[in-house]
């Protein structure tokens, strides 16, 4: 299988390299396109009016890995429109991650990792986003989970992008696998003011709030120790909301 791997943590990310080398050990042909610098929170942004440059070229045991001045969604586009054309190949699967923090609940909106998988779906390709808790030092178990299940996961990802979250990288601490709905998460967001080189700058900081969530939500299930799989959609339509709008359309003012 020909696999394109992207992320939002940047080309120097340890779990990115572990995922690439792990997929290679499973016999796959792997290519890596990642941001030159961390792009966490970039969501589905793409670069329209700035030229993208390849800053870093690596060879990881035969794997071509490049660091580009771009967003995660850009990485997928570069993979399809530059790497694939240069190598005269067609990718079978796009893996995004492994992110070094979970991407669950409302965080999915902001996640560059998840957007990498969703951008693959925009192109009509199978895309899977992978995220794990931040206390992982060794990502061999998430890599093994993907490697052992890759055909089954790919068959599903051909229908819709998938987000997978790991509650731990230690298999002894994992209770099992659950299919999860997207939950809700918010943070005690605040901007901390600092002075750097004589200039005032603001950094966003905050802690995860304890909010009520359904028992089958990714937030709850991840906290309980389950690997969560969530099917995502590119369609943002709220169909029940459209039905409500339909009730007021006759009353809308028109010139």
């Amino acid at each position: 299988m020909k696999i394109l791997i992207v992320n939002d943590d940047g080309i120097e990310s340890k779990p990115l390299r572990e995922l690439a080398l792990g997929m290679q050990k499973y016999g796959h042909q792997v290519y890596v396109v990642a941001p030159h610098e961390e792009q966490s929170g970039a969501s589905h942004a793409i670069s329209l009016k700035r030229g993208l440059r390849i800053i870093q070229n690596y060879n990881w045991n035969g794997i071509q890995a490049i660091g580009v001045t771009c967003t995660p969604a850009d990485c997928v586009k570069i993979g399809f429109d530059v790497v694939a054309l240069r190598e005269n190949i067609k990718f079978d699967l796009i893996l995004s991650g492994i992110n070094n923090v979970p991407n669950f609940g409302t965080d999915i909106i902001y996640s560059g990792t998840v957007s990498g998988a969703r951008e693959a779906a925009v192109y009509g390709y199978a895309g899977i986003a992978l995220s794990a808790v931040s206390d992982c030092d060794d990502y061999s178990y998430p890599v093994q989970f993907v490697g052992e299940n890759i055909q089954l996961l790919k068959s599903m990802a051909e229908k819709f992008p998938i987000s997978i979250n790991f509650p731990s990288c230690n298999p002894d601490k994992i209770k099992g696998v659950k299919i999860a709905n997207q939950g809700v998460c918010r943070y005690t967001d605040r901007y901390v003011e600092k002075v750097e080189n004589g200039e005032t700058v603001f950094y966003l900081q905050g802690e995860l709030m304890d909010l009520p969530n359904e028992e089958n939500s990714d937030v709850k299930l991840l906290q309980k120790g389950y690997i969560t799989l969530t099917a995502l959609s590119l369609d943002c339509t709220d169909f029940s909301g459209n039905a409500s709008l339909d009730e007021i359309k006759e009353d809308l003012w028109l010139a």
Side-chain angles (χ1 to χ4, degrees), residues 56 78 98 135-136 162 167 177 182 204 216 234 237 240:
Q56 295 150 309
I78 290 288
I98 301 169
D135 61 356
C136 289
I162 300 172
V177 179
Q182 180 183 341
L204 183 63
N216 66 341
L234 297 180
T237 306
S240 63

Side-chain angles (χ1 to χ4, degrees), residues 1-5 18-31 61-63 92-93 95 143-144 146-148 150-151:
M1 193 183 298
K2 297 177 179 64
I3 300 176
L4 172 66
I5 300 181
E18 288 191 30
L19 179 62
L21 292 173
M23 292 303 100
Q24 183 188 57
K25 289 181 179 178
Y26 274 93
H28 303 295
Q29 187 175 342
V30 178
Y31 296 83
N61 194 37
I63 297 173
D92 301 299
L93 175 66
L95 298 178
V143 170
Q144 184 180 11
V146 175
E148 294 293 335
I150 196 165
Q151 293 292 349

Side-chain angles (χ1 to χ4, degrees), residues 113-133:
T113 301
V114 172
S115 293
R118 296 180 76 235
E119 180 64 17
V122 170
Y123 274 78
Y125 285 80
I128 301 172
L130 305 166
S131 308
V133 295

Side-chain angles (χ1 to χ4, degrees), residues 40-114:
S40 295
S43 188
H44 211 119
I46 57 174
S47 302
L48 296 177
K49 296 186 177 181
R50 66 184 180 101
L52 307 183
R53 304 189 308 279
I54 297 175
I55 302 296
Q56 295 150 309
N57 283 276
Y58 293 108
N59 186 315
W60 298 340
N61 194 37
I63 297 173
Q64 175 187 335
I66 58 175
V68 186
T69 56
C70 67
T71 69
D74 286 334
C75 289
V76 177
K77 292 181 176 294
I78 290 288
F80 288 151
D81 298 333
V82 177
V83 176
L85 292 178
R86 285 181 178 176
E87 301 295 327
N88 193 28
I89 59 172
K90 181 179 179 180
F91 291 113
D92 301 299
L93 175 66
I94 289 74
L95 298 178
S96 185
I98 301 169
N99 200 58
N100 61 4
V101 294
N103 280 301
F104 57 9
T106 320
D107 287 352
I108 289 176
I109 297 172
Y110 306 104
S111 170
T113 301
V114 172

Side-chain angles (χ1 to χ4, degrees), residues 146-184:
V146 175
E148 294 293 335
N149 297 300
I150 196 165
Q151 293 292 349
L152 190 57
L153 292 171
K154 175 180 176 292
S155 69
M156 289 293 100
E158 289 172 345
K159 303 174 183 178
F160 40 73
I162 300 172
S163 176
I164 303 178
N165 281 284
F166 294 87
S168 174
C169 290
N170 182 348
D172 294 335
K173 296 182 178 181
I174 294 175
K175 293 183 178 179
V177 179
K178 293 283 189 179
I179 308 305
N181 294 337
Q182 180 183 341
V184 178

